[in-house]
């Protein structure tokens, strides 16, 4: 007996047929049955996201989680979280009081990405503004561009109403810079190679002596969040490599490196040696690995192994032939699954309905970089 064709059967059949065409599969997509999923709201960040506190006693991850669960836009929530760290003069890796460049000038970088809106903004080598993450957001909202740098970024910030300060050093950051300068450049006439090597030796010696937090030599905070609707956003902000060459830009403000967000998949961001991350655009790689079905942890491990594969210069290797630096990734998907991975053991911050906490990352290697 021939089955009677109803209007519902016809509409359903033609819809499935359209999605099964070769053109659809050529896009690299596969037909999915949309089912309602329970999303676990979460905020994840670098470890300093659970140290600095605001006037209410909230840390970065705690404030971001409170805001996004109270209904705030997810990007506004994570930016409000990192603002706490940017404004903390005791954190020498981000914003006000961040360790300056080789000339003693604080230059800041930041990027933001909004998953639902599919928009982004970033600034690099920005001077005089304590909260570069808010300037990056203004770039996203007020311009047709993704990245503004240097004097142009500062001029834009001034035109947007941000306060421009002459010097973002604190007495602490300035004192550390003077100590580094005294150790690294006593003669003033070293050739460029010798000067760079002397600068790195001085910085690592200060780390070994406890004058400089090893996590603040490279600096940075990345913070990503997802709400109960599965809306995901992220922000990365930094003062960059301590005593860097003036004008140096690391991975933090570069989309796909220091931060990448896909509203349909999730987010990834990083801290650590920016040059290693830039070479492989690893945050983009992580999100694309999640697109192919990987968990946040497994996707992060793919990126770490890519960094290891690309690190072949002897000056960057330790006695075991492994990278003599650390890179950390903070990853979550739109379901609220999350992970933090690194080349070597480290900490990260996370906040869920159970409250904020600091936990250990999943490390690729045992031990730590050699001092």
């Amino acid at each position: 007996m021939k089955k009677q064709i109803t209007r519902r059967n016809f509409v359903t059949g033609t819809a499935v047929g359209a999605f099964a065409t070769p053109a659809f599969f050529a896009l690299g997509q596969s037909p999915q049955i949309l089912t309602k999923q329970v999303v676990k709201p979460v905020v994840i960040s670098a470890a300093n996201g659970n140290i600095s506190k605001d006037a209410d006693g909230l840390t970065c991850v705690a404030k971001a989680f409170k805001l996004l669960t109270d209904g705030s836009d997810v990007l506004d929530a994570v930016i409000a979280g990192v603002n706490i760290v940017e404004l903390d003069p005791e954190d020498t890796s981000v914003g006000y009081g961040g360790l300056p460049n080789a000339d003693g000038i604080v230059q800041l970088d930041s990027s933001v990405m909004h998953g639902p809106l599919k928009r982004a903004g970033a600034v690099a080598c920005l001077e005089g503004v304590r909260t570069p993450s808010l300037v990056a957001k203004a770039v996203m909202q007020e311009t047709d561009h993704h990245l503004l740098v240097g004097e142009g970024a500062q001029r834009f910030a001034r035109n947007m109403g941000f306060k421009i300060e002459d010097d973002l050093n604190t007495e602490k950051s300035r004192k550390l810079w003077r100590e580094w300068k005294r150790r690294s450049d006593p003669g003033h006439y070293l050739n460029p190679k010798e000067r760079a090597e002397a600068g790195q030796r001085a910085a690592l010696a200060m780390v070994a002596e406890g004058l400089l937090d090893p996590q603040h030599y490279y600096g940075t905070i990345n913070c990503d969040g997802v709400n109960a609707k599965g809306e995901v956003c992220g922000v990365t902000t930094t003062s960059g490599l301590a005593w860097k060459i003036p004008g140096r830009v690391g991975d933090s403000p570069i989309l796909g490196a220091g931060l990448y967000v896909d509203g349909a998949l999730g987010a990834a961001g990083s801290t650590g040696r920016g040059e290693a991350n830039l070479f492989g655009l690893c945050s983009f790689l992580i999100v694309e690995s999640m697109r192919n079905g990987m968990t946040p942890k497994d996707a992060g491990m793919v990126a770490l192994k890519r960094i290891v594969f690309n690190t072949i210069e002897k000056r960057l290797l330790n006695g075991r032939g492994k990278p003599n630096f650390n890179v950390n990734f903070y990853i979550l998907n739109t379901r609220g699954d999350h992970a933090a991975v690194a080349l070597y053991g480290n900490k990260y911050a996370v906040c869920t309905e159970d409250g904020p906490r600091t936990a250990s990352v999943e490390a690729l290697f045992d031990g730590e970089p050699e001092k």
Side-chain angles (χ1 to χ4, degrees), residues 295-348:
T295 65
K297 176 187 171 182
D298 289 344
M301 288 298 176
V302 167
L304 292 177
K305 291 175 182 178
R306 178 72 59 86
I307 289 173
V308 173
F309 178 79
N310 287 331
T311 304
I312 61 174
E313 294 183 66
K314 289 184 178 180
R315 66 185 179 86
L316 298 175
L317 301 174
N318 61 20
R320 296 185 291 161
K322 306 298 184 184
N324 198 30
F325 54 81
N326 210 355
V327 177
N328 314 269
F329 293 109
Y330 316 94
I331 312 153
L332 57 80
N333 63 25
T334 53
R335 293 187 299 273
D337 304 321
H338 63 275
V341 302
L343 289 174
Y344 299 96
N346 212 334
K347 301 291 185 180
Y348 75 102

Side-chain angles (χ1 to χ4, degrees), residues 106-123:
V106 179
Q107 292 183 322
L108 304 176
D109 306 327
S110 182
S111 61
V112 302
M113 293 191 74
H114 198 294
L117 295 180
K118 300 186 184 301
R119 298 181 66 184
V123 291

Side-chain angles (χ1 to χ4, degrees), residues 52-99:
S52 302
K53 296 181 179 180
D54 67 5
D56 296 322
L58 296 176
T59 61
C60 165
V61 291
K63 182 163 189 173
F65 186 82
K66 181 179 186 303
L67 289 173
L68 69 83
T69 52
D70 284 347
S72 294
D73 178 84
V74 178
L75 183 58
D76 289 343
V78 294
I79 290 177
V82 300
N83 287 164
I84 296 172
V85 187
E86 288 175 322
L87 295 171
D88 183 359
E90 291 302 310
D91 190 305
T92 57
S93 69
V94 178
Y96 175 56
L99 294 175

Side-chain angles (χ1 to χ4, degrees), residues 45-360:
S45 84
N48 49 349
N50 200 31
I51 297 175
S52 302
K53 296 181 179 180
D54 67 5
D56 296 322
L58 296 176
T59 61
C60 165
V61 291
K63 182 163 189 173
F65 186 82
K66 181 179 186 303
L67 289 173
L68 69 83
T69 52
D70 284 347
S72 294
D73 178 84
V74 178
L75 183 58
D76 289 343
V78 294
I79 290 177
V82 300
N83 287 164
I84 296 172
V85 187
E86 288 175 322
L87 295 171
D88 183 359
E90 291 302 310
D91 190 305
T92 57
S93 69
V94 178
Y96 175 56
L99 294 175
N101 64 22
D103 290 342
I105 299 170
V106 179
Q107 292 183 322
L108 304 176
D109 306 327
S110 182
S111 61
V112 302
M113 293 191 74
H114 198 294
L117 295 180
K118 300 186 184 301
R119 298 181 66 184
V123 291
C125 293
L126 175 64
E127 299 176 13
V129 181
R130 298 187 182 198
T131 54
S133 62
L134 287 173
V135 184
K137 179 187 172 186
V139 172
M140 182 191 81
Q141 292 181 322
E142 304 291 339
T143 80
D144 187 40
H145 309 304
H146 284 161
L147 176 63
L148 298 180
V149 303
E151 292 182 6
Q154 187 189 71
R155 188 178 303 113
F156 169 79
R158 180 182 288 108
N159 291 340
M160 290 295 104
F162 287 90
K163 179 182 178 181
I164 309 298
E165 301 180 56
D166 291 334
D167 187 4
L168 294 185
N169 275 294
T170 59
E171 184 52 40
K172 180 178 181 179
S173 65
R174 191 176 293 108
K175 181 178 179 180
L176 288 169
W177 175 78
R178 286 198 302 265
E179 177 65 16
W180 173 81
K181 196 73 172 174
R182 181 184 67 79
R183 297 183 184 211
S184 66
D185 191 21
H188 305 293
Y189 291 101
L190 295 172
N191 67 46
K193 181 179 179 181
E194 290 174 338
R195 182 169 184 165
E197 291 174 347
Q200 185 177 35
R201 284 196 304 271
L204 294 179
M206 292 173 69
V207 169
E209 293 171 23
L211 293 173
L212 180 61
D213 185 333
Q215 302 306 318
H216 289 187
Y217 177 50
Y218 288 109
T220 312
I221 181 171
N222 163 254
C223 184
D224 309 305
V226 61
N227 64 13
K229 299 177 183 178
E231 296 172 335
V232 60
C233 298
V235 55
T236 301
T237 181
T238 186
S239 56
L241 179 67
W243 308 302
K244 59 195 174 186
I245 294 173
R248 177 263 189 186
V249 176
D251 62 326
S252 296
I254 306 303
L255 307 184
L259 175 68
Y260 194 73
V261 177
D262 185 313
L265 298 167
S270 70
T271 61
R273 179 174 164 80
E275 282 72 12
N277 186 28
L278 270 169
F279 194 80
L281 292 176
C282 292
S283 289
F284 177 79
L285 173 63
I286 289 170
V287 173
E288 288 303 295
S289 295
M290 290 196 291
R291 188 189 304 279
N292 291 327
M294 288 190 179
T295 65
K297 176 187 171 182
D298 289 344
M301 288 298 176
V302 167
L304 292 177
K305 291 175 182 178
R306 178 72 59 86
I307 289 173
V308 173
F309 178 79
N310 287 331
T311 304
I312 61 174
E313 294 183 66
K314 289 184 178 180
R315 66 185 179 86
L316 298 175
L317 301 174
N318 61 20
R320 296 185 291 161
K322 306 298 184 184
N324 198 30
F325 54 81
N326 210 355
V327 177
N328 314 269
F329 293 109
Y330 316 94
I331 312 153
L332 57 80
N333 63 25
T334 53
R335 293 187 299 273
D337 304 321
H338 63 275
V341 302
L343 289 174
Y344 299 96
N346 212 334
K347 301 291 185 180
Y348 75 102
V350 61
C351 189
T352 64
E353 61 183 6
D354 297 323
R357 62 187 175 91
T358 300
S360 297

